[in-house]
Amino acid sequence: MVRLLIKLAAGAAVAVSPALAAATTASSLTFGPSSFTAPGTFPTSLYKSYFNNPTATSAQPQPVISDPVLHKTYPLALTSPKNIPQNDTVDPHPLPPRASDAQLLQNAIAQVQGLATSSAFAGNKCALCTATLQVAKFLALAAPAQGPAFAVFLCEQFRLSSTCDESFGATTLGPVLTQVLANADVAGYDGLMICENFISSACPLPPTPALNLTGWFAKPKPSPLPPPKTPSGKRLKVLHLSDFHLDPRFANGAEANCTTGLCCRENNFNTGSPNATLQPAPRFGAYLCDTSFSLAAAAVAAIPVLAGTEKTGFAFTVFTGDLVSHDSENQLSRDYITYTETVLYDLWKRTLGSGPVYAALGNHDSYNQAQDAPHSLGGELANQFSWNYDHVAALWQQEQWIPQSAVAQARAHYAAYSVQRTDGLRVITLNTDLWYRSNWFNYVNLSQIDTSGMLRFLTDELQDAEDHGDRVWILGHVLSGWDGTNALEAPTNHFYQIVDRFSPHVIANIFWGHTHEDELSVHILREQRDEHQRADGARDVVDRPSITPLTNLNSGFRVYEVDSATFDIVDATQMEANPDLVTTFNNFQGKQSVLTPACTGECITAKICYLRSGSSSIALQNCPRGFGSVQ
């Protein structure tokens, strides 16, 4: 396994830093030179035409992008650094239907009964929060058009944000909250989790609901397990990209050390020097900024050179989500999402060489950001995000990366799909927004098992893979475990049991993104949970580095050497055995950024615990908190 890093610098130099020096005598693979220097001027051949002069170094290029799916050309105003939008008033912001008087009556009765028996009243702060949610639910049902205004009021009342109007108004998250409150069981587990996660921890974290998997699996786990596949000795080169976060609104020379928000933007500054830029944004980015077009072009130009795949291409590429920049909610729109999807998928197709790209959506690859509604919501609201699933599915088909069967799955399963390759590997992608803490829609019927159907889809695909003798790679964005701060406990506990059922004979590897850091964890299988046993059957879970340097990180990507028969990643290191290795791991987690803090004392204990935590519930129940990120 070879680590390839793009070192962030003010100039165009791109360097490779080898990690865990893994060259083996049995391998005949070779890589390119140890460094790559991007050209002084932007490679104008990347695009047919531009709105501005692409060779000028005073501003980022603005290519003219035509969408082959939507049959339109995106205007300069969409990405111009001088035209940052404050609100999207074009796209629809759906609201739930008005409830009948009978529904209101029955709901009011049921909610009062729930409040009377709720354990939340044991603490006043928690009781206040859940009671407030009762009022919000009534309003969401009776007068949904007033829901966003009430959401702004709640934000101000509980001091959730300093930008309540921009964050929770009628053109941002207000309609989402209205939908969720109209459908959630705010007197029960849904309400407790909303108060714990969104309302300043007003309620303590409730216990993870008991998981009843009776009848979930079509067949029991084989005993004995099928014999493992024999390694072929032939290695494939596979590229792993994650968290690209292209910022087409990046402004050269803007404040790179702004006080709040996304830096390298003309609308953000340092409050200590509002009228004079302290750190001008360089063309190739900075530690508080997302990926400029110049950095993006340098990255995709460097990858084939550094990987030695200029003539051969990769066997395939996996992308674990987050194409879109970290804009605030009021600066986003559907067009901004589809623009970025169109730009990057097209760019990868033209620059990375042969081999398909298997992509999963990230939490920023949606509008509203991080929001995806389960189909169980019903009615027109069940399909309110289909515009995005249809768009990416059509783009993946346009690039000839996935077959028609996978395109149909992606349209129907929240952009998740399964591809059964001819070489014996099956790639299954997931939309992990459906277990992400920041997705408000996940707080509707959260105590019920798999309300979205995503885990049913995964289980059925794994069963089919087992029946056909396939090995499986699972791709997603939001990691299921680590320190437990990103994903919800109930669905990731369910996911952990699914991994246990189909490992080690079916699932070869699991890949996440999201943290921007280089991390590793393992799923300890039931038969290896005695801590004195070596977990040879555990499933490796890899969380891969980002192209974006945000926050305080170097840009990075990963190239794997993969056995062509077992589809295991060649070479691995046992991190728990030596605290010094945890220190090394911590350094690589930050992609060797000079701003990565040292890991000592309780941090070492925490990191070892995170490595063993394949679900949020395991991490929150067993691990010290506060050491998950190096940013």
Side-chain angles (χ1 to χ4, degrees):
M1 180 163 60
V2 177
R3 168 190 297 272
L4 298 174
L5 299 177
I6 297 175
K7 291 287 190 176
L8 180 66
V14 179
V16 60
S17 176
L20 304 178
T24 64
T25 57
S27 173
S28 62
L29 298 177
T30 60
F31 290 83
S34 61
S35 65
F36 171 86
T37 300
T41 60
F42 185 82
T44 58
S45 60
L46 279 179
Y47 299 95
K48 292 182 179 180
S49 60
Y50 297 81
F51 287 113
N52 63 352
N53 181 3
T55 63
T57 59
S58 61
Q60 290 290 318
Q62 291 287 342
V64 178
I65 302 299
S66 295
D67 192 318
V69 176
L70 300 180
H71 304 293
K72 66 180 180 182
T73 298
Y74 293 98
L76 174 62
L78 180 66
T79 60
S80 172
K82 299 182 181 298
N83 188 36
I84 305 297
Q86 294 303 307
N87 278 299
D88 169 32
T89 58
V90 175
D91 295 324
H93 302 276
L95 294 167
R98 182 179 296 274
S100 67
D101 289 349
Q103 287 175 308
L104 290 175
L105 175 62
Q106 293 302 315
N107 178 75
I109 294 172
Q111 293 306 314
V112 170
Q113 291 172 336
L115 286 172
T117 59
S118 174
S119 60
F121 283 96
N124 290 336
K125 187 176 180 181
C126 187
L128 173 62
C129 182
T130 55
T132 301
L133 293 183
Q134 298 289 336
V135 178
K137 181 178 181 71
F138 179 84
L139 184 64
L141 288 169
Q146 300 302 315
F150 193 70
V152 172
F153 164 76
L154 291 179
C155 174
E156 295 171 344
Q157 181 72 15
F158 287 96
R159 300 179 181 178
L160 304 182
S161 172
S162 60
T163 58
C164 293
D165 283 320
E166 293 86 348
S167 300
F168 295 99
T171 60
T172 52
L173 282 174
V176 170
L177 268 67
T178 305
Q179 291 183 57
V180 171
L181 292 170
N183 288 278
D185 177 17
V186 296
Y189 186 71
D190 294 347
L192 293 174
M193 287 296 293
I194 290 172
C195 289
E196 188 278 332
N197 191 61
F198 293 109
I199 317 295
S200 305
S201 298
C203 292
L205 181 67
T208 303
L211 184 61
N212 182 0
L213 292 179
T214 302
W216 181 264
F217 298 109
K219 300 176 183 179
K221 189 171 185 174
S223 182
L225 292 174
K229 293 183 181 294
T230 302
S232 68
K234 177 185 176 182
R235 297 185 183 183
L236 309 173
K237 283 185 179 179
V238 177
L239 173 64
H240 186 173
L241 295 173
S242 193
D243 295 86
F244 211 96
H245 292 291
L246 178 69
D247 184 7
R249 295 165 175 166
F250 187 105
N252 293 359
E255 182 60 70
N257 187 30
C258 62
T259 303
T260 61
L262 186 60
C263 298
C264 301
R265 290 288 190 84
E266 290 190 354
N267 61 325
N268 283 336
F269 55 90
N270 189 302
T271 55
S273 180
N275 299 317
T277 300
L278 297 178
Q279 183 179 330
R283 294 171 53 212
F284 291 93
Y287 283 128
L288 298 179
C289 309
D290 269 331
T291 304
S292 66
F293 254 112
S294 294
L295 176 57
V300 296
I303 289 171
V305 176
L306 299 175
T309 57
E310 292 173 284
K311 296 181 179 180
T312 62
F314 294 99
F316 58 91
T317 295
V318 296
F319 175 68
T320 48
D322 269 7
L323 303 162
V324 181
S325 56
H326 292 82
D327 285 70
S328 59
E329 192 70 40
N330 60 305
Q331 295 172 352
L332 294 170
S333 65
R334 290 188 181 185
D335 266 1
Y336 193 69
I337 305 303
T338 57
Y339 168 91
T340 307
E341 292 166 347
T342 301
V343 167
L344 287 180
Y345 291 145
D346 168 69
L347 183 64
W348 298 345
K349 177 70 172 182
R350 294 187 290 114
T351 59
L352 296 181
S354 61
V357 176
Y358 302 123
L361 292 187
N363 57 293
H364 285 274
D365 303 332
S366 181
Y367 178 70
N368 298 97
Q369 179 188 146
Q371 307 304 306
D372 278 286
H375 295 153
S376 58
L377 204 59
E380 294 181 358
L381 297 179
N383 298 312
Q384 61 188 289
F385 292 94
S386 292
W387 61 271
N388 197 24
Y389 313 144
D390 292 343
H391 186 250
V392 293
L395 286 176
W396 297 333
Q397 184 178 37
Q398 169 87 12
E399 308 298 358
Q400 299 181 330
W401 289 338
I402 62 175
Q404 179 58 44
S405 59
V407 172
Q409 286 181 325
R411 293 179 185 273
H413 293 286
Y414 316 100
Y417 60 86
S418 174
V419 172
Q420 187 176 12
R421 293 169 51 88
T422 58
D423 54 11
L425 176 67
R426 185 178 303 217
V427 178
I428 303 174
T429 71
L430 302 176
N431 184 341
T432 54
D433 274 0
L434 297 167
W435 66 38
Y436 187 35
R437 287 186 182 276
S438 295
N439 181 7
W440 281 87
F441 290 103
N442 288 335
Y443 296 81
V444 176
N445 299 324
L446 185 55
S447 62
Q448 298 182 13
I449 185 171
D450 193 30
T451 54
S452 69
M454 179 181 71
L455 296 178
R456 178 74 270 158
F457 164 75
L458 172 64
T459 304
D460 291 346
E461 286 295 325
L462 289 171
Q463 183 61 65
D464 192 61
E466 182 180 74
D467 294 342
H468 286 85
D470 292 341
R471 295 283 277 164
V472 169
W473 281 17
I474 298 174
L475 314 179
H477 181 68
V478 177
L479 57 170
S480 62
W482 191 242
D483 63 351
T485 60
N486 292 285
L488 290 164
E489 293 79 14
T492 55
N493 179 36
H494 191 176
F495 175 75
Y496 198 101
Q497 309 312 314
I498 295 170
V499 171
D500 188 281
R501 162 62 181 84
F502 291 101
S503 296
H505 58 301
V506 177
I507 300 173
N509 285 290
I510 304 169
F511 302 89
W512 308 129
H514 188 59
T515 67
H516 299 188
E517 301 172 11
D518 200 348
E519 298 165 348
L520 171 73
S521 60
V522 293
H523 282 251
I524 307 298
L525 306 185
R526 185 174 287 107
E527 52 267 33
Q528 275 94 25
R529 287 180 189 162
D530 184 336
E531 66 178 1
H532 299 294
Q533 295 185 35
R534 175 176 164 80
D536 292 313
R539 288 303 85 210
D540 293 333
V541 182
V542 285
D543 310 320
R544 282 302 166 235
S546 60
I547 293 295
T548 182
L550 195 71
T551 302
N552 296 333
L553 301 169
N554 291 323
S555 298
F557 58 91
R558 179 62 65 91
V559 175
Y560 301 122
E561 297 179 54
V562 177
D563 186 90
S564 64
T566 66
F567 297 98
D568 291 327
I569 297 174
V570 178
D571 299 325
T573 300
Q574 188 75 8
M575 294 291 179
E576 299 97 317
N578 185 337
D580 291 338
L581 291 179
V582 177
T583 301
T584 301
F585 173 83
N586 185 75
N587 185 32
F588 288 140
Q589 184 179 342
K591 294 173 284 182
Q592 297 176 298
S593 169
V594 296
L595 298 179
T596 296
C599 182
T600 59
E602 190 179 21
C603 173
I604 292 176
T605 302
K607 288 290 173 74
I608 293 173
C609 188
Y610 300 158
L611 286 165
R612 296 178 179 272
S613 300
S615 74
S616 291
S617 57
I618 292 175
L620 294 175
Q621 291 169 15
N622 299 285
C623 303
R625 302 189 185 186
F627 300 98
S629 175
V630 299
Q631 299 178 51

